[in-house]
Amino acid sequence: MSGSSAALQPPADAVTPVRHPDAPAPGELLGSHYEQCFACGHDQPHGLRLEARAGEGVTLTAEFTVQPAHQGAPGLAHGGVLATALDETLGSLNWLLRTVAVTGRLETDFVRPVPVGTTLHLAAEVTAVAGRKIYSSVVGRIAGPDGPVAVRADALFIEVKVDHFVDNGREEEIQAALSDPDQVRRARAFEVNP
């Protein structure tokens, strides 16, 4: 995005992001990083249930359909719900880098209303990496992946260790996630949000 703040402009020594060799293959559904996640978890009855697919390089696409529980103004998606979808999509990019990172900054532009019943088509990419900082952007469109732009965002994610979540999360959820026998699900549970 051209209008983002200086905090979202990569420094001169930033490098081009490199897809991790073990990242999901292009076209592969990433799945929920945590079943209780409001944005992508399938155990949340009023959640977004956002689904993301790996793209080429360090890109992905995602979709979610705005439900009546997601409205702010009558018949329209709440801006906070749209920001959640943008944040989740951007956070999912970190799985392609195999990096545990949290949102440091998110700047959103709300371009046009998104009605209830609309599927929001999101396309995201990591644009640069500088040390622990990961710069990324996303565009959300309605009426198809090539439809009019409804929302967009730029973000800065910060790489963290799993201790960030263990030290700050609620004990019962942390222990449940850490004791999951599936190593990939256990790692992904701690991948996106602060």
Side-chain angles (χ1 to χ4, degrees):
M1 268 173 26
S2 59
S4 60
S5 71
L8 292 176
Q9 300 302 316
D13 63 346
V15 298
T16 302
V18 177
R19 181 191 193 95
H20 193 279
D22 296 330
E28 187 175 327
L29 187 64
L30 299 183
S32 171
H33 77 273
Y34 177 54
E35 289 301 320
Q36 293 296 322
C37 175
F38 176 75
C40 70
H42 290 278
D43 289 349
Q44 287 289 344
H46 299 296
L48 305 186
R49 298 183 180 197
L50 185 135
E51 293 195 339
R53 288 192 183 279
E56 298 290 334
V58 191
T59 69
L60 61 76
T61 58
E63 293 182 358
F64 92 96
T65 300
V66 179
Q67 302 298 319
H70 304 147
Q71 61 191 314
L76 297 174
H78 189 288
V81 168
L82 297 174
T84 299
L86 295 167
D87 183 49
E88 182 67 22
T89 302
L90 290 161
S92 295
L93 285 165
N94 297 316
W95 189 238
L96 301 177
L97 299 171
R98 291 289 203 212
T99 299
V100 177
V102 296
T103 310
R105 186 177 187 97
L106 176 71
E107 289 186 15
T108 58
D109 288 321
F110 300 97
V111 180
R112 65 177 23 93
V114 180
V116 169
T118 299
T119 298
L120 189 64
H121 300 268
L122 299 138
E125 69 175 325
V126 175
T127 56
V129 176
R132 294 178 45 225
K133 296 180 177 182
I134 302 164
Y135 298 85
S136 53
S137 63
V138 61
V139 174
R141 298 174 182 272
I142 57 177
D146 296 319
V149 173
V151 291
R152 60 181 168 239
D154 283 325
L156 169 63
F157 280 78
I158 308 296
E159 182 179 356
V160 296
K161 303 292 182 206
V162 171
D163 292 354
H164 169 86
F165 302 96
V166 174
D167 294 345
N168 296 293
R170 195 168 73 161
E171 183 69 21
E172 78 185 70
E173 282 87 358
I174 296 298
Q175 290 309 314
L178 288 174
S179 60
D180 189 322
D182 184 309
Q183 182 178 6
V184 172
R185 264 200 326 254
R186 191 171 54 240
R188 288 208 63 207
F190 300 102
E191 91 174 337
V192 291
N193 291 322

